[in-house]
């Protein structure tokens, strides 16, 4: 792939201050894009911006304090982006929350609502702002970071996974609604070695990897490479689809312990 595949394009990335979102921002910057990272904590955004500026790239880097679950924050971030950079070609819906671990049957409404608000409605709110501000007229690409959990049953995070499954369906629905102007695709990562998932992978990495066909956990770069493909013209005939990046976790024979 040509190294400058996103030259001059503008990308907004929610949850762009660390982990997968920051990895995607770095990949887009290296590919020539201007990047806008959004997250809740100003300190994290400031250090992420400094890290991004150390990555080779000609594009501008901006940060916005915003909660992915607040539609008014999405509107403000997109307005600021249009004012500063004049376009918005790529919307990455990456921020997510998981305030509840446990059986679905015992879930309380406040935590259920918070999860839906950030993970599911957030994806719609930010996509809608990008669509209305730029993509409806000029086209663009939406990249939704869901989870392989949206495809399988998990003993602990059933509600979070239900919102990720909803993201996969909304990816198809929005692909239908926003074509041919905008393309909408998703990535469903398996376990990726970020802070969010540290408590899951750190104590059990050898056990977890032994079961995987590819014998290792995912990295931020694994997801960033796929997000670059989905944002670029290399995927120009692809919409409504989900790339599963899980080291083969969903390619195991039935009966192999998960
Ligand atoms: N890591 C995995 O194993 C894994 C697997 C499958 C899917 N995923 C998905 O990948 C995405 C990124 O996960 P990650 O592992 O990179 O997480 P992470 O390392 O914890 O980073 C999360 C990022 O999102 C921001 N954020 C969190 N809540 C937010 C909110 N309500 N509004 C705006 N920003 C928010 C955080 O900054 P602030 O705290 O400053 O807001 C941070 O920038 C999520 O959608 C997650 O569900 C992760």
């Amino acid at each position: 792939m040509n190294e400058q595949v996103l030259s001059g394009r503008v990308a907004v990335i929610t949850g762009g201050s660390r982990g997968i979102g920051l990895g995607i921002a770095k990949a887009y910057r290296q590919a020539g894009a201007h990047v806008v990272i959004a997250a809740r904590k100003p300190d994290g955004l400031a250090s992420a911006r400094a890290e991004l500026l150390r990555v080779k790239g000609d594009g501008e880097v901006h940060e916005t304090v915003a909660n992915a679950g607040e539609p008014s924050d999405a509107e403000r971030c997109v307005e600021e982006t249009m004012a500063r950079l004049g376009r918005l070609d790529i919307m990455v819906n990456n921020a997510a929350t998981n305030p509840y671990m446990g059986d679905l049957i015992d879930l309380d409404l406040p935590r259920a609502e918070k999860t839906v608000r950030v993970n599911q409605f957030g994806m719609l709110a930010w996509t809608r702002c990008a669509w209305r501000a730029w993509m409806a007229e000029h086209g663009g690409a939406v990249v939704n970071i869901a989870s392989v959990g949206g495809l399988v049953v998990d003993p602990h995070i059933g509600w979070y996974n239900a919102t990720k499954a909803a993201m996969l369906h909304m990816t198809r629905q929005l692909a239908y609604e926003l074509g041919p102007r905008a393309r909408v695709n998703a990535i469903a990562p398996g376990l990726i070695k970020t802070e969010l998932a540290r408590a899951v992978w750190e104590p059990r990495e050898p056990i977890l990897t032994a079961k995987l066909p590819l014998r290792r956990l995912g990295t931020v770069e694994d997801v960033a490479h796929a997000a670059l493909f989905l944002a670029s013209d290399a995927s120009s005939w692809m919409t409504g689809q989900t790339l599963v990046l899980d080291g083969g976790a969903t390619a195991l024979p039935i009966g192999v312990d998960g």
Side-chain angles (χ1 to χ4, degrees):
M1 203 186 279
N2 175 339
E3 281 189 358
Q4 294 294 297
V5 289
L6 301 184
S7 184
R9 296 187 201 177
V10 173
V12 170
I13 301 151
T14 66
S17 65
R18 60 173 190 269
I20 291 169
L22 180 56
I24 292 172
K26 285 181 183 172
Y28 286 3
R29 176 165 164 77
Q30 277 175 332
H34 306 283
V35 295
V36 180
I37 52 173
R40 294 164 304 173
K41 299 185 195 98
D43 290 357
L45 281 166
S47 56
R49 181 168 188 274
E51 206 173 320
L52 279 166
L53 288 171
R54 286 195 291 274
V55 172
K56 193 165 177 274
D58 297 328
E60 295 181 29
V61 178
H62 296 281
E63 79 260 38
T64 303
V65 176
N67 188 325
E70 288 298 335
S72 59
D73 286 2
E75 280 168 30
R76 178 175 44 79
C77 177
V78 168
E79 274 169 21
E80 281 172 13
T81 300
M82 292 302 296
R84 283 173 176 146
L85 298 163
R87 55 192 296 160
L88 203 181
D89 306 278
I90 302 156
M91 181 67 234
V92 182
N93 293 301
N94 166 73
T97 192
N98 182 31
Y100 177 75
M101 302 276 287
D103 291 349
L104 208 54
I105 205 77
D106 297 322
L107 175 64
D108 55 279
L109 186 57
R111 284 184 289 184
E113 284 180 343
K114 182 180 177 187
T115 316
V116 170
R117 184 176 181 124
V118 175
N119 302 3
Q120 187 177 343
F121 193 78
M123 172 189 144
L124 178 60
W126 288 73
T127 301
R128 176 159 58 203
C129 288
W131 170 255
R132 290 180 179 166
W134 178 262
M135 292 182 184
E137 199 173 335
H138 306 279
V142 178
V143 180
N144 298 317
I145 308 302
S147 170
V148 79
L151 301 168
V152 298
V153 170
D154 181 281
H156 309 296
I157 54 172
W159 189 245
Y160 162 90
N161 280 349
T163 64
K164 294 295 185 177
M167 286 180 74
L168 301 182
H169 185 77
M170 287 165 65
T171 294
R172 293 187 288 272
Q173 181 72 28
L174 287 169
Y176 168 70
E177 294 181 14
L178 306 190
R181 283 292 187 196
R183 298 183 300 109
V184 186
N185 290 292
I187 298 173
L191 196 51
I192 308 295
K193 292 172 75 171
T194 67
E195 280 308 310
L196 177 82
R198 183 177 289 280
V200 181
W201 57 264
E202 200 166 54
R204 300 171 59 223
E205 190 169 356
I207 301 165
L208 294 167
T209 52
K211 295 175 199 160
L212 289 177
L214 295 183
R215 302 286 192 277
R216 68 170 176 85
L217 298 181
T219 64
V220 159
E221 289 74 26
D222 288 320
V223 184
H225 291 152
L228 179 57
F229 168 67
L230 292 179
S232 77
D233 295 343
S235 60
S236 65
W237 206 48
M238 179 173 174
T239 196
Q241 304 305 311
T242 298
L243 288 179
V244 178
L245 305 180
D246 66 353
T250 48
L252 293 171
I254 292 170
V256 173
D257 199 11

